[in-house]
């Protein structure tokens, strides 16, 4: 199975300690509902979706999500984060077929 | 498909643009803002970053600029002028075709125009021109002039069982009417900036698509035989449609319905 | 979209002039029960354990009133809260009232988020309410909902 491609964006790009920023996490994933039929064979396509996303700051869980097949293909997961200092943001995403991906982003406040 | 449903569809086509284009069905400003936000978190951004590494491995910006005979600094403006006549190819080519030329020049496997790698690299290459204005010049040389003429002919050529052409839905006198809930877009408008915003992420297909592949999807839906990517006719069609948006800003990847 | 349903709903529009968005897409979706099928009532009681839910202006649910297609519907939930240890939003649940499985996402927040917000994009099988259910740190449940009309676009 191909590796799941991901992207983290922090908005705004520059921030200081005390700011609340947006963390936007995207993943390339088919998010199959299990209700679609294959066009050629007519067989149901098995459900395949991201079912768990965990945001960790310096290895401490700050947000956890249980997600379902109703999310769009190539989904977006966006939450806020209060900047308390420099650190590492790690986002773990898992799908219902057991595949997982870990993406990290350095948090580097200005000033 | 039964004959009956076909005739129903034809009746509906005849009804196209009749009185049901109510204002209440249009998107509100607030709704539009929500969709515009998709541009900032465009799933195609992930393909763009892959395209950057693929392109880097294939030839890189410096190598590409050298091959095309321009300075690296002039590359954004140069890319904004595609499709264009390229001497070494002896024809008018699209950006994707220059990537094929680049692969050949490096003695590497030439990626197919339909391939995902081609999409990603074309997206990256075009993104170098972000912020520029669409600057294709149809009067630059006889070859471009000829392609513009051919492109207009392709755009207006009625084909298939229903005798549809691009013009059937995109002529200037039908713009703003509706096909089901969809307002038929003005391909040349600043708001649409069509050619300058492809490759784009298509929400209905949940995938990123090249402009010429979008043309093929349109042909497919209109029950027309698909014009092959890279053919003279397809490049001409891209020239013709790009010319409609001349001077519009380039911003890729776009987001489309 | 499938050509068959394209023609079918196209035909329906010709006949009725005004369009009924559920035709086609929704009809086909109903034929198959998804692997996680769950109704709105069942999902709500699983979240709240039967506790009362108050619709509150503190919860803002943004979604388009008219979605041009059901495949990508942007949804954002934000909740007024100081996000302190004592007083914060614990959970945000996004539900699509008429989807086969109404659950879209269950989000467990913490004070480290700084402010309570969750944004995503969901698939809607047809016109329906999108509901946000929020659990506060004091154990109360707040909610907001918005109707989203899903239209059928041009030629796919």
């Amino acid at each position: 199975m191909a590796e799941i491609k991901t992207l983290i964006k922090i908005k705004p790009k520059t921030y200081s300690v005390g700011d609340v920023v947006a963390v936007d996490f995207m993943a390339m994933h088919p998010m199959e509902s299990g209700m679609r039929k294959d066009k050629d064979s007519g067989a149901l396509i098995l459900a395949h979706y991201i079912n768990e996303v965990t945001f960790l700051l310096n290895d401490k869980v700050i947000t956890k999500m249980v997600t379902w097949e109703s999310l769009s293909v190539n989904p977006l997961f966006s939450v806020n984060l209060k900047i308390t200092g420099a650190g590492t943001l790690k986002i773990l995403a898992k799908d219902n077929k057991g595949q997982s991906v870990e993406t990290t982003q350095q948090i580097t406040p200005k000033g | 498909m039964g004959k009956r449903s076909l005739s129903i569809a034809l009746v509906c086509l005849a009804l196209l643009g009749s009185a049901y284009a109510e204002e209440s069905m249009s998107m509100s400003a607030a709704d539009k803002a929500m969709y515009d936000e998709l541009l900032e978190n465009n799933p195609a951004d992930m393909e763009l970053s892959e395209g950057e590494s693929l392109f880097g491995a294939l030839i890189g910006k410096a190598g590409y600029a050298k091959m095309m005979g321009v300075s690296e600094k002039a590359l954004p403006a140069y890319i904004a002028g595609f499709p264009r006549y390229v001497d070494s190819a002896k024809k008018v080519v699209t950006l994707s075709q220059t990537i094929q030329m680049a692969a050949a020049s490096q003695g590497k496997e030439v990626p197919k125009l339909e391939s995902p790698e081609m999409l990603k690299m074309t997206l990256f290459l075009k993104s170098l021109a972000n912020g520029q204005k669409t600057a294709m010049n149809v009067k630059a040389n006889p070859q471009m002039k000829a392609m513009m003429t051919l492109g207009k002919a392709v755009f207006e050529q009625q084909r298939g069982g229903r005798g549809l052409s691009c013009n059937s839905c995109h002529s200037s006198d039908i713009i703003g009417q509706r096909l089901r809930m969809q307002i038929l877009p003005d391909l040349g408008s600043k708001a649409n900036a069509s050619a300058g915003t492809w490759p784009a992420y298509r929400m209905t297909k949940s995938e990123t698509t090249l402009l010429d592949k979008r043309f093929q999807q349109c042909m497919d839906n209109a029950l027309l035989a698909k014009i092959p990517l890279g053919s003279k006719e397809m490049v001409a069609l891209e020239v013709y449609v790009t010319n409609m948006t001349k001077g519009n800003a380039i911003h890729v990847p776009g987001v489309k319905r | 979209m499938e050509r068959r349903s394209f023609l079918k709903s196209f035909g329906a529009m010709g006949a009725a002039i005004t369009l009924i968005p559920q035709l086609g897409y929704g009809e086909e979706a109903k034929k198959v029960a998804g692997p996680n099928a769950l109704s709105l009532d069942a999902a709500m009681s699983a979240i709240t354990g039967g506790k009362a839910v108050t619709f509150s202006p503190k919860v803002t649910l943004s979604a388009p009133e008219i979605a041009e297609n059901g495949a990508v519907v942007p949804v954002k939930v934000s909740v007024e809260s100081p996000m302190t240890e004592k007083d914060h939003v614990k959970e945000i649940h996004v539900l699509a009232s008429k989807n086969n499985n109404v659950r879209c996402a269950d989000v467990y927040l913490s004070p480290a988020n700084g402010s309570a917000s969750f944004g995503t994009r969901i698939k809607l099988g047809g016109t329906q309410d999108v509901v946000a259910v929020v659990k506060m740190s004091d154990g109360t449940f707040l909610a907001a909902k918005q109707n989203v009309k899903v239209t059928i676009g041009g030629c796919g």
Side-chain angles (χ1 to χ4, degrees):
Chain A
M1 227 183 289
E3 161 197 2
I4 304 171
K5 299 273 183 315
T6 60
L7 189 67
I8 299 177
K9 285 188 184 180
I10 309 269
K11 288 172 195 166
K13 277 183 182 162
T14 56
Y15 43 82
S16 313
V17 170
D19 289 354
V20 174
V21 298
V23 178
D24 296 339
F25 174 62
M26 272 191 293
M28 291 285 254
H29 202 282
M31 301 301 281
E32 278 295 347
S33 66
M35 287 153 53
R36 248 163 40 98
K37 283 179 184 164
D38 185 275
K39 267 185 192 159
D40 299 323
S41 69
L44 275 181
I45 302 169
L46 282 180
H48 185 202
Y49 56 94
I50 293 177
N51 58 3
E52 197 181 294
V53 183
T54 313
F55 291 60
L56 302 105
L57 183 63
N58 300 327
D59 291 324
K60 190 177 166 250
V61 176
I62 56 163
T63 306
K64 193 174 165 171
M65 299 172 186
V66 176
T67 58
W68 304 90
E69 68 276 19
S70 283
L71 295 188
S72 300
V73 179
N74 303 326
L76 165 75
F77 309 89
S78 177
V79 291
N80 290 336
L81 171 68
K82 182 157 190 169
I83 303 296
T84 50
T88 305
L89 177 71
K90 184 159 78 184
I91 302 179
L92 286 170
K94 276 190 216 167
D95 72 23
N96 67 327
K97 290 189 179 174
Q99 202 181 1
S100 66
V101 60
E102 181 182 310
T103 317
T104 56
Q105 168 82 40
Q106 290 310 310
I107 301 292
T108 45
K110 289 254 150 68
Chain B
M1 178 172 38
K3 268 192 177 148
R4 198 172 144 268
S5 58
L6 181 66
S7 58
I8 289 174
L10 285 173
V11 169
C12 294
L13 270 180
L15 278 172
L16 252 186
S18 50
Y20 44 80
E22 293 153 49
E23 200 51 39
S24 64
M25 289 298 185
S26 298
M27 224 197 254
S28 70
D31 283 8
K32 192 163 181 312
M34 290 214 69
Y35 281 101
D36 285 347
E37 196 271 335
L38 274 150
L39 276 172
E40 291 187 31
N41 286 314
N42 192 334
D45 288 342
M46 290 179 272
E47 277 153 321
L48 193 153
S49 74
E50 270 185 81
E52 181 168 12
S53 8
L54 286 168
F55 188 78
L58 184 75
I59 188 164
K61 273 198 274 184
Y64 179 83
K66 197 177 158 207
M67 180 186 86
M68 303 312 290
V70 293
S71 71
E72 214 181 319
K73 218 180 144 194
L75 210 48
Y78 181 76
I79 289 167
F82 272 86
R84 61 164 71 234
Y85 177 76
V86 173
D87 252 340
S88 55
K90 296 196 170 42
K91 60 177 182 181
V92 174
V93 293
T94 61
L95 269 182
S96 300
Q97 287 173 311
T98 65
I99 291 172
Q100 289 189 320
M101 290 162 61
S105 78
Q106 302 296 303
K108 289 181 180 151
E109 197 189 330
V110 175
K112 288 204 164 68
L113 292 172
E114 293 81 2
S115 69
E117 293 72 28
M118 181 54 87
L119 163 72
K120 289 166 191 168
M121 286 192 281
T122 306
L123 174 56
F124 167 68
L125 195 53
K126 177 111 179 231
S127 77
L128 297 177
N130 275 349
Q132 299 276 326
K133 293 203 158 91
T134 308
M136 187 193 70
N137 183 359
V138 290
K139 291 181 186 141
N141 44 56
Q143 291 87 350
M144 282 300 285
K145 270 185 204 159
M147 285 302 256
M148 182 64 185
T149 310
L150 177 61
K152 186 172 189 294
V154 173
F155 195 84
E156 291 170 359
Q157 175 68 55
Q158 293 182 310
R159 298 193 292 138
R162 296 178 189 175
L164 294 172
S165 70
C166 306
N167 219 26
S168 304
C169 294
H170 300 291
S171 73
S172 53
D173 55 339
I174 206 170
I175 287 165
Q177 297 187 357
R178 271 169 204 268
L179 181 56
R180 301 207 274 180
M181 295 305 288
Q182 182 77 21
I183 295 176
L184 294 169
D186 177 357
L187 297 180
S189 81
K190 283 248 184 315
N192 265 312
S194 29
T197 51
W198 291 90
Y201 188 75
R202 286 204 68 205
M203 295 190 282
T204 38
K205 302 253 177 211
S206 294
E207 67 181 23
T208 313
T209 308
L210 291 164
L211 182 58
D212 45 9
K213 278 187 107 169
R214 176 66 184 103
F215 293 158
Q216 284 193 331
Q217 290 171 349
C218 216
M219 289 167 198
D220 213 24
N221 284 322
L223 305 185
L224 311 178
K226 286 188 275 190
I227 298 174
L229 300 181
S231 65
K232 198 175 176 188
E233 287 73 16
M234 191 54 123
V235 177
L237 187 57
E238 186 165 336
V239 167
Y240 185 71
V241 172
T242 303
N243 189 56
M244 292 180 183
T245 63
K246 203 176 168 196
N248 282 5
I250 293 176
H251 183 93
V252 297
V255 174
K256 307 286 173 183
R257 186 186 59 81
Chain C
M1 186 180 293
E2 297 287 337
R3 182 163 296 136
R4 193 161 46 83
S5 56
F6 167 83
L7 288 175
K8 195 161 50 178
S9 34
F10 208 11
M13 177 168 104
I17 300 296
T18 49
L19 179 77
I20 302 157
Q22 287 94 334
L23 271 176
Y25 194 106
E27 200 172 70
E28 272 177 23
K30 265 176 213 158
K31 286 181 197 159
V32 190
N36 305 310
L38 193 74
S39 71
L40 184 63
D41 286 348
M44 286 289 272
S45 58
I47 292 166
T48 62
K51 279 197 185 164
V53 177
T54 318
F55 281 88
S56 162
K58 279 189 176 176
V59 183
T60 309
L61 172 66
S62 328
E65 278 177 37
I66 298 172
E68 275 202 314
N69 76 87
V72 182
V73 181
V75 172
K76 191 173 182 183
V77 182
S78 42
V79 190
E80 244 183 76
S81 164
M83 290 306 270
T84 57
E85 279 301 331
K86 238 176 120 181
D87 181 7
H88 61 270
V89 174
K90 279 184 105 85
E91 302 169 13
I92 295 176
H93 303 269
V94 177
L95 308 166
S97 62
K98 283 189 184 159
N99 274 7
N100 188 274
N101 170 13
V102 299
R103 292 164 295 185
C104 299
D106 307 302
V107 182
Y108 301 86
L109 298 169
S110 71
N113 289 108
S115 80
S117 159
F118 171 63
T120 189
R121 296 161 192 156
I122 62 174
K123 291 182 275 205
L124 293 178
T127 296
Q128 58 188 286
D129 286 338
V130 176
V131 184
V133 180
V134 173
K135 185 180 185 181
M136 308 299 285
S137 53
D138 65 1
T140 57
F141 290 93
L142 306 179
K145 71 172 176 184
Q146 191 190 315
N147 186 261
V148 178
K149 289 184 181 70
V150 177
T151 68
I152 296 173
C155 34

